[in-house]
Amino acid sequence: MTIELNREAIARIAALPGVAEAAEAGSALISLWPLTEAMQMDNDAKYAENLQVRVTHAFARILTGQDVTMPDAEFVYEGADEIPGRPQSIVDTLLAANDAYDTMAGYCTSGDARLVFDAAATLGVHWSDSVAHAVRATIADVESQIEADAVQGRLAASGEPEDVADRFATALAVCDALLGVVAEDAGADARARATAVLPILLYVNELREQCSIPRICLTDWQISGLLDARAGSGDAGTLAATAAYIAPLARDEWTRHHDDVLWDPGEAKRRAKEEDEKRNKEALAAKFAHIKDDPGKEAVEL
């Protein structure tokens, strides 16, 4: 199976209000680069670490079907290979999810799409031979088309909102196509369907990054929600459903990333102090609001 990235369809997706809003947030984030301040670079590194924790947390919840907690994911990311009082199966799955994440992260520098199969094997995701062949062919096809579009100037690398929207819509089209490929093999079981798409989500995140579109994160229930939205898309088509579902999540994620990069602990502390003082003054004023001033009271010089 191969697909064609229909530029007219992608243009329609890029023009959707939700995609345009996400592109505005993405443009604001992209405009911060190149980062030059040490604090912002440190903030960005912390954001990237937190993103990996959140992604692996979501993956482990799907893969195990258990109540994996965020502290579980944080401990394993920080190097734990066992957690007292917690099932070892959760720890092992989180370790595998981190290995898969790190493996797929190499795509940005190597461009080796075979890494998606390495990541799938690490996660314990087993596609049938026909689906694996279709994934391989689809990735080769879309990457060739993306490269051709870039050469012909149809995928401008600028941070302008309309260009971000076009690249984002292209990535959404790739994501939707690959989700359609693996969905054929997943059956009706919701957890099995969610498990089958995990390597695809890793791949598309790295493809976005390679196309100058920031990464995003979906929780376990958002991954399931995306698959449900596609399954119920009807005449609108799965691409429109995929775009409508992911766009607001991307907008919120890119806004969060932007704010995280610019976060200044000193400024935040100052603002918090000002807010506390304001609340205290308002509370004090409310407490004595019933006491009227005595117009005949002698003025006191302070």
Side-chain angles (χ1 to χ4, degrees):
M1 174 181 178
T2 59
I3 68 164
E4 179 179 354
L5 294 179
N6 186 308
R7 298 309 306 175
E8 291 184 3
I10 288 173
R12 287 195 297 272
I13 293 300
L16 292 175
V19 173
E21 287 180 10
E24 290 284 351
S27 176
L29 172 58
I30 292 169
S31 71
L32 299 180
W33 267 259
L35 299 178
T36 56
E37 296 184 16
M39 183 181 67
Q40 292 182 3
M41 289 187 282
D42 186 50
N43 286 345
D44 187 53
K46 290 176 181 176
Y47 168 83
E49 292 173 353
N50 182 259
L51 179 69
Q52 180 164 344
V53 168
R54 290 188 290 132
V55 169
T56 55
H57 170 253
F59 280 24
R61 287 179 67 88
I62 289 173
L63 290 165
T64 64
Q66 298 182 62
D67 184 23
V68 182
T69 68
M70 194 62 76
D72 291 336
E74 290 169 348
F75 289 146
V76 172
Y77 176 79
E78 291 167 0
D81 55 12
E82 60 180 25
I83 302 174
R86 299 295 289 156
Q88 189 59 36
S89 59
I90 286 178
V91 176
D92 291 342
T93 303
L94 282 166
L95 288 168
N98 277 280
D99 285 346
Y101 191 101
D102 292 339
T103 294
M104 201 65 242
Y107 175 75
C108 275
T109 53
S110 70
D112 186 354
R114 291 174 297 181
L115 293 175
V116 71
F117 296 97
D118 294 339
T122 301
L123 290 169
V125 174
H126 304 290
W127 295 319
S128 68
D129 290 344
S130 60
V131 166
H133 175 75
V135 168
R136 187 176 292 106
T138 300
I139 288 176
D141 196 47
V142 298
E143 289 185 349
S144 176
Q145 292 182 58
I146 287 174
E147 183 177 350
D149 284 346
V151 169
Q152 296 175 29
R154 289 197 292 260
L155 280 176
S158 82
E160 293 299 317
E162 58 271 21
D163 292 330
V164 174
D166 187 47
R167 298 197 305 275
F168 180 37
T170 299
L172 287 169
V174 175
C175 180
D176 181 69
L178 287 169
L179 291 178
V181 169
V182 298
E184 297 177 2
D185 205 34
D189 181 74
R191 187 175 151 212
R193 287 190 298 125
T195 297
V197 306
L198 298 183
I200 298 303
L201 298 180
L202 285 179
Y203 166 75
V204 174
N205 238 2
E206 297 309 312
L207 180 68
R208 287 192 189 99
E209 185 70 13
Q210 194 175 58
C211 295
S212 300
I213 294 293
R215 297 178 180 89
I216 65 172
C217 174
L218 275 64
T219 65
D220 53 314
W221 63 267
Q222 287 170 341
I223 292 171
S224 297
L226 170 61
L227 298 179
D228 289 343
R230 294 181 77 261
S233 60
D235 294 338
T238 59
L239 176 53
T242 295
Y245 193 89
I246 291 181
L249 303 180
R251 177 200 62 207
D252 293 347
E253 185 66 40
W254 295 338
T255 300
R256 172 180 181 166
H257 191 172
H258 175 275
D259 294 346
D260 282 1
V261 168
L262 295 183
W263 185 72
D264 183 333
E267 179 66 12
K269 184 177 181 179
R270 184 188 66 78
R271 290 181 180 178
K273 183 178 179 181
E274 288 180 350
E275 286 296 320
D276 285 343
E277 290 175 350
K278 181 181 178 182
R279 283 193 294 268
N280 289 339
K281 288 179 180 178
E282 290 173 347
L284 193 63
K287 181 178 180 180
F288 294 102
H290 64 286
I291 300 176
K292 300 182 182 295
D293 286 337
D294 181 359
K297 182 174 63 177
E298 183 179 350
V300 178
E301 291 290 338
L302 297 178

